[in-house]
Amino acid sequence: MTASRARCPVAFALPPGALLPALVLSLTLALMPGRPAAATPAPPAAAAPTVRDIAFEQVRKAALRSLRVSPYGKRAAMIVAARNGRHVVAVVDLPPTAPARTVGGFSNADVASVTWISDDRLAYEAYESGTEISLASTMAVDADGRNERELINWNAGDPGATTSTRRRVARLPYGWYLAGSPRDGSPDVYVEHLIFEGNGDFVETRLARLDTLTGDLKPLRLGVPDRVVARVLDAQGRIHVVLTPSGGRSRLQHRQPDGSWQVLEDHDAFSDDVLVPRYLEADGTLIVSTRRGHDTIGLYAYDLTRRKLDPEPLLRVARFDVDDALEIDAPSRRVIGANLVTDGPQTIWFSPRMAAIQQTSDATLPAGRINVIGCTRCETARWYAVWSGSDRHPGEYLLYDHQERRHYRLGAERPWLAEARNAAAAPYSLCLSVSSSRRSSPPRWPQPNALKRALTPRPRPSSDRSARSLG
């Protein structure tokens, strides 16, 4: 099945009072003191760039990256390059009628990731550059830059055992990592402690809930089996299903109402039959990933009451594994999409609304692009974060306004890279075979006939404007 799309002009005109096309300039002014220099005549044509010049431009730090819209769509956070060359966090209100503002960063480390805790507070991770990383910190801060608190510092001392029900910590040391947010309106985040043996072998992960304002730490492992390597939480934030390898076996266990644990599955630790829990939906459906019966990892639904795996996959792709990261609609607690990487990242949407938004982005943005959409309250949101790029374009970030049905460009990751310079390599498409019981996304790669389902690079003219299809 092949989906074609017309070449459509992209409307980037702003509504009255909006400043989004000037966001990069506004962001620059917010990060750097002083006024921009007056316009100067264009310099004479420069000599053709050397291979060294091109290589340097390819690895130069991005000017803009990691766009995230807050849960209720009040703000967007992004990572930008400051004047000193370091990556910092900036926030802009939505709709964007005022300049973006810097809310966090370091003079000797780069911000690597940012995540929203609520519409008014976010967390970010920063690491020292280089091969020997000795400085790393996880911070929380309000969207206006106030109430900043360090959560994790790799140079901090060990706070001691974490088996108590609740205690206050100044900051967590090396071995702790940010593990998401409950998104329940509180200032809390989930943090996990990775435990290793002396020889470096991974033992287990221990989850805790941390108040980013007070430092109150509440471990969630009380009554949970030992050696947990994967787990999912219920709607109340309690660990509900765990995967525990021990003695060469891998067991999927389910918490019972009385607090005991029932073994649902017990397999050899290296068996393709092992089920890895990924998410617990509101109706009690357990979403798992497994290779069972196939040579790639697929996504399946597991009935906890009947202790039975649905043989029909939610998503399975021949020759490609489905990623661990799922797209979740937070209010409904339902998996509405899954991710995989073929010749680039893409999302297969189970939600008709999100499939339609994906189709709109694919049809509206330049042909040949891979367009990745990010959201939290996906089924009701107005604003969506979009990354758009290809093997020829280094990538750019946009905001999609579903109410106005329009995309607004924020800026390119590396605006100094010309798309034409990256056009030497011949484009190609992939032939994929997909099985899904829930898929709503339109196909994105041309589907060959049944005799040509192998992964086959196929050159095509650069003028080919057909959509890539998956079906």
Side-chain angles (χ1 to χ4, degrees), residues 11-21 95-97 382-383 401 404 406 408:
F12 289 107
L14 282 172
L19 302 177
L20 193 52
T97 56
R382 172 183 175 181
W383 295 96
D401 183 348
E404 300 292 335
R406 309 171 96 177
Y408 299 110

Side-chain angles (χ1 to χ4, degrees), residues 68-77 92 94 116-121 183 375-377 381 383:
R68 297 285 186 268
V69 176
S70 65
Y72 284 89
K74 290 173 58 177
R75 301 177 176 91
V92 63
L94 299 178
W116 286 98
I117 301 171
S118 67
D119 266 34
D120 301 314
R121 193 163 175 79
R183 300 193 187 280
C375 54
T376 301
R377 305 177 70 87
W383 295 96

Side-chain angles (χ1 to χ4, degrees), residues 21 64 70 93 208-209 262 281 329:
L64 173 63
S70 65
D93 295 328
R209 182 165 172 151
Q262 178 188 43
E281 294 188 319
D329 179 59

Side-chain angles (χ1 to χ4, degrees), residues 365-379:
L365 298 175
R369 295 278 190 91
I370 294 171
N371 305 304
V372 181
I373 300 172
C375 54
T376 301
R377 305 177 70 87
C378 303
E379 298 285 44

Side-chain angles (χ1 to χ4, degrees), residues 451-467:
L451 298 179
K452 296 182 180 179
R453 292 177 182 269
L455 174 61
T456 309
R458 298 183 306 171
R460 66 183 182 203
S462 59
S463 60
D464 183 2
R465 296 296 191 183
S466 63

Side-chain angles (χ1 to χ4, degrees), residues 379-452:
E379 298 285 44
T380 56
R382 172 183 175 181
W383 295 96
Y384 297 83
V386 180
W387 177 87
S388 180
S390 70
D391 56 349
R392 299 183 177 199
H393 192 286
E396 62 181 340
Y397 288 94
L398 308 95
L399 286 167
Y400 174 67
D401 183 348
H402 188 58
Q403 179 175 303
E404 300 292 335
R405 303 296 197 272
R406 309 171 96 177
H407 288 86
Y408 299 110
R409 280 192 177 96
L410 280 180
E413 280 192 7
R414 291 173 170 81
W416 51 84
L417 286 180
E419 185 168 359
R421 186 180 295 173
N422 299 320
Y428 63 91
S429 60
L430 299 177
C431 305
L432 301 180
S433 177
V434 178
S435 301
S436 176
S437 61
R438 197 184 281 190
R439 180 166 60 91
S440 295
S441 295
R444 290 183 60 198
W445 262 271
Q447 177 60 54
N449 61 49
L451 298 179
K452 296 182 180 179

